[in-house]
């Protein structure tokens, strides 16, 4: 399978120029941005409540970050805004120290992200296995759906047929035409129905008060002391790590959907710059949003930075200039949109019986572990870390079984030859010391390592222990056949590790 073509900055600029000169492509980008902006409003308000701040803090953060990341990010069409994961990280700061300390935390978190990106943390993405990625995608889909459940419980009965109607529109309309994004049509139709028939159902206005003024530049009013740094630094580092992990994972997902490869290092720097800007404009910070990104890329077909930029611009226009109109959009319409996104995001092939039969049980266990931890903690970063650790343990366990020690028949009765086969590291070399007959072997023992490789100090320590055991019985060991890398490691470490007896 060929690897996706890389998205170079020149290619990204060409895509933007193509969209600007093509009415069809421009319409797609504009309408996608509008749909995303509408979907951002209730979530930004909800995340503000989680963080313990005024709704305007989350809304302004979403506006600033979407606009900034459109210029600084490395993944075109990905949406960055205020998120629940970041809200959970910084909520204690707002609760215990106030808004100014929260803004300072966001700014410092952005600085950490830029630093980590410059140090090359994005390259660590290559160590995330496919099974963890599938678990990440499936858990995201589940979380997106679970986030809609509160809007479907203890609500007027009219909400349910409205949700069903929205789902029907989004399933049927793409089969007829794709000129206008189906989610936008569903939002408009259900809003018109609500107003025309004066239906009493929950709407966006019920989620919180919308701001009526523009964001402005400010400097957090906190003392520039070591004590302040001690308060905000742990939360800022948490924000940086969670934000980078979610953003880079989401970028990789969009890479797969669009069959392109984005600049992860630039995306990391862009996330940091966006968070710094958010903090200086009174925002609560954020990271890439999987739900809104899927609306933008999958449901609406956007592919360029234009949609991301316009999502931020439309968001500000809607909440400040058209707040009264936005407030009457029924929540049932947004719930329907997010349910479709949830279903489209889930990797249904991964749980098909035929797939589960073919897939190694260890791979399935890694995927299920990732999903279970994410759903239990509502924290994507924790789930991914646990998934990677489980995958590493499973891999080490599997590879360890491929190592063996074979006794080679020799014509010389005074020499015993053993051949070690396989990859030698901590998991496979721990039992190496028990594979030799120290009591009955002759005075000269040869260990042929030509079909093995030494990967770590644990293996060198095991070889030292073997030599020590033979030496205790007056016998000599000759280790032969080491490749260049293994020989270099053995020469540097042998005799300096305090091998046990």
């Amino acid at each position: 399978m060929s690897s996706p073509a890389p998205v170079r900055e020149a290619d990204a600029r060409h895509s933007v120029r193509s969209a600007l000169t093509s009415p069809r492509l421009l319409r797609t980008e504009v309408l996608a941005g509008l749909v995303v902006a509408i979907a951002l409003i209730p979530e930004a308000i909800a995340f503000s409540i989680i963080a313990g701040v005024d709704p305007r803090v989350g809304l302004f953060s979403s506006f600033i970050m979407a606009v900034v990341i459109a210029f600084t990010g490395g993944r075109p069409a990905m949406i960055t805004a205020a998120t629940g994961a970041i809200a959970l990280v910084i909520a204690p700061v707002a609760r215990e120290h106030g808004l100014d300390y929260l803004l300072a935390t966001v700014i410092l978190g952005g600085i950490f992200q830029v630093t980590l990106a410059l140090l090359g943390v994005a390259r660590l993405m290559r160590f995330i296995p496919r099974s963890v990625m599938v678990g990440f995608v499936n858990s995201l889909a589940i979380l997106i759906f679970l986030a809609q459940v509160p809007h479907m419980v203890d609500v007027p009965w009219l909400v349910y047929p409205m949700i069903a109607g929205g789902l029907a529109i989004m399933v049927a309309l793409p089969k007829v035409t794709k000129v206008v994004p189906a989610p936008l049509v569903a939002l408009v139709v259900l809003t018109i129905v609500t107003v025309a028939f004066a239906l009493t159902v929950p709407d966006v206005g019920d989620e919180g008060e919308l701001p009526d003024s523009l964001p402005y530049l400010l400097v957090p009013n906190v003392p520039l002391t070591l004590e302040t740094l001690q308060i905000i630094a742990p939360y800022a580092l948490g924000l940086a790590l969670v934000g980078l992990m979610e953003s880079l994972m989401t970028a990789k997902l969009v890479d797969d959907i669009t069959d392109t490869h984005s600049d992860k290092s630039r995306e990391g720097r862009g996330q940091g710059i966006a968070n710094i800007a958010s903090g200086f404009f009174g925002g609560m910070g954020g990271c890439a949003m999987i739900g809104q990104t899927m609306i933008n890329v999958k449901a609406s077909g956007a592919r360029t930075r234009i949609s991301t930029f316009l999502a931020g611009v439309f968001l500000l226009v809607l909440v400040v200039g058209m707040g009264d109109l936005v407030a009457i959009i029924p929540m049932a319409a947004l719930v329907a949109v997010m349910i479709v996104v949830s279903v489209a995001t889930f990797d249904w092939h991964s749980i098909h019986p035929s797939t589960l039969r073919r897939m190694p049980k260890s791979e399935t266990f890694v995927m299920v572990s990732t999903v279970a931890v994410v759903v239990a903690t509502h924290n994507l970063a924790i789930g991914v870390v646990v998934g990677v650790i489980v995958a590493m343990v499973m891999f080490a366990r599997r590879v360890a079984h491929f190592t063996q020690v074979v006794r080679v028949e020799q014509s010389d009765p005074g020499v015993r030859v053993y051949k070690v086969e396989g990859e030698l590291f901590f998991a496979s070399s721990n039992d190496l010391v028990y594979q030799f007959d120290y009591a009955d072997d002759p005075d000269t023992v040869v260990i042929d390592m030509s079909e093995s490789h030494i990967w770590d100090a644990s293996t060198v320590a095991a070889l030292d222990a073997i030599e020590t055991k033979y030496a205790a019985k007056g016998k000599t060991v000759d280790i032969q056949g080491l490749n260049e890398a293994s020989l270099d490691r053995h020469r540097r470490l042998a005799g300096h590790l305090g091998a046990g007896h």
Side-chain angles (χ1 to χ4, degrees):
M1 183 177 182
S2 61
S3 60
V7 177
R8 300 178 180 86
E9 186 53 30
D11 297 332
R13 287 196 296 268
H14 175 72
S15 298
V16 171
R17 284 196 297 268
S18 298
L20 290 173
T21 55
S22 168
R24 181 181 62 82
L25 294 177
L26 183 59
R27 181 182 64 242
T28 298
E29 298 294 319
V30 171
L31 294 179
L34 179 59
V35 174
V36 170
I38 295 172
L40 276 173
I41 295 171
E43 293 211 1
I45 295 173
F47 297 149
S48 298
I49 295 170
I50 292 174
V53 295
D54 190 84
R56 71 173 58 236
V57 178
L59 290 166
F60 286 166
S61 182
S62 296
F63 157 66
I64 293 294
M65 295 197 73
V67 169
V68 171
I69 205 69
F71 295 96
T72 63
R75 175 63 263 177
M78 191 167 77
I79 303 299
T80 291
T83 62
I86 298 300
L88 289 171
V89 171
I90 62 176
V93 182
R95 183 173 59 250
E96 297 171 16
H97 303 284
L99 180 61
D100 284 305
Y101 277 84
L102 181 144
L103 299 181
T105 301
V106 172
I107 293 169
L108 182 59
I111 294 172
F112 282 156
Q113 286 181 322
V114 173
T115 303
L116 290 170
L118 292 174
L119 291 175
V121 72
R123 287 194 293 270
L124 296 177
M125 286 296 296
R126 71 184 67 180
F127 296 109
I128 298 179
R130 181 186 178 279
S131 51
V132 175
M133 189 67 192
V134 172
F136 171 80
V137 170
N138 289 347
S139 58
L140 281 171
I142 294 171
L143 289 184
I144 291 171
F145 180 80
L146 291 178
Q148 312 315 309
V149 172
H151 301 295
M152 296 186 284
V153 177
D154 294 329
V155 293
W157 68 269
L158 284 171
V159 168
Y160 304 110
M162 291 184 70
I163 293 175
L167 293 174
I169 290 172
M170 284 180 283
V171 170
L173 186 62
K175 298 177 181 178
V176 178
T177 179
K178 294 184 179 179
V179 173
V180 181
L184 180 59
V185 174
L187 290 170
V188 172
V189 169
L190 292 180
T191 301
I192 291 174
V193 168
T194 301
V195 175
F197 294 94
L199 302 180
T200 304
V201 292
D203 54 33
V204 172
D206 296 330
E207 297 298 302
E209 184 180 355
L210 300 177
D212 55 6
S213 61
L214 296 173
Y216 55 90
L217 184 65
L218 57 87
V219 176
N221 184 22
V222 297
L224 300 178
T225 62
L226 181 59
E227 182 182 0
T228 299
L229 184 63
Q230 290 173 336
I231 292 172
I232 68 175
Y235 298 103
L237 183 60
L239 180 152
L241 294 175
V242 171
L244 280 178
M245 187 174 295
E246 291 206 24
S247 299
L248 295 178
M249 291 287 284
T250 304
K252 190 173 187 300
L253 177 60
V254 178
D255 289 352
D256 294 339
I257 292 172
T258 60
D259 197 30
T260 57
H261 180 70
S262 57
D263 186 342
K264 304 298 189 302
S265 293
R266 175 173 174 173
E267 182 61 39
R269 295 193 302 273
Q271 290 290 330
I273 294 169
N275 270 310
I276 293 170
S278 173
F280 278 119
F281 279 90
M284 58 179 274
C287 61
M289 299 189 74
I290 182 65
Q292 276 62 32
T293 297
M294 290 300 100
I295 292 176
N296 198 43
V297 175
K298 262 197 163 183
S300 303
R303 291 293 182 271
T304 75
R305 301 177 188 276
I306 295 174
S307 57
T308 305
F309 174 76
L310 290 179
V313 173
F314 283 143
L315 174 64
L316 187 66
V317 172
L318 288 171
V319 299
V320 175
M322 305 173 65
D324 293 339
L325 180 60
V326 171
I328 64 174
I329 296 174
M331 285 301 299
L334 291 167
V335 169
V337 170
M338 298 310 292
I339 289 175
V340 169
V341 169
S342 172
V343 173
T345 301
F346 196 91
D347 185 351
W348 296 99
H349 177 72
S350 67
I351 61 171
H352 193 278
S354 61
T355 303
L356 294 175
R357 282 194 299 269
R358 286 194 300 268
M359 191 69 65
K361 288 183 173 57
S362 59
E363 299 283 328
T364 302
F365 183 72
V366 170
M367 185 264 285
V368 172
S369 299
T370 304
V371 172
V373 173
V374 171
V375 173
T377 64
H378 282 234
N379 190 313
L380 292 162
I382 294 176
V384 171
V385 169
V386 169
V388 170
I389 292 173
V390 172
M392 290 169 59
V393 172
M394 291 293 181
F395 175 77
R397 182 173 177 272
R398 189 164 61 248
V399 173
H401 293 316
F402 294 146
T403 302
Q404 60 179 346
V405 178
V406 180
R407 184 178 295 183
V408 181
E409 295 299 326
Q410 282 291 114
S411 57
D412 185 352
V415 178
R416 171 69 69 199
V417 177
Y418 291 95
K419 188 168 191 174
V420 181
E421 301 173 347
E423 305 301 313
L424 297 173
F425 63 110
F426 63 90
S428 61
S429 63
N430 281 337
D431 293 333
L432 195 64
V433 70
Y434 304 115
Q435 307 300 312
F436 299 85
D437 189 352
Y438 303 101
D440 296 331
D441 279 345
D443 290 342
T444 301
V445 176
V446 175
I447 301 178
D448 181 1
M449 306 281 288
S450 58
E451 293 188 17
S452 62
H453 185 95
I454 297 176
W455 286 103
D456 61 6
S458 295
T459 303
V460 177
L463 292 174
D464 281 353
I466 292 169
E467 292 187 82
T468 300
K469 286 181 178 293
Y470 275 117
K473 297 184 179 298
K475 303 174 182 180
T476 60
V477 176
D478 182 15
I479 298 176
Q480 301 177 353
L482 289 170
N483 58 42
E484 186 176 349
S486 298
L487 181 61
D488 177 66
R489 185 171 287 112
H490 187 261
R491 281 175 175 169
R492 285 188 290 107
L493 299 178
H496 300 289
L497 298 173
H501 297 276

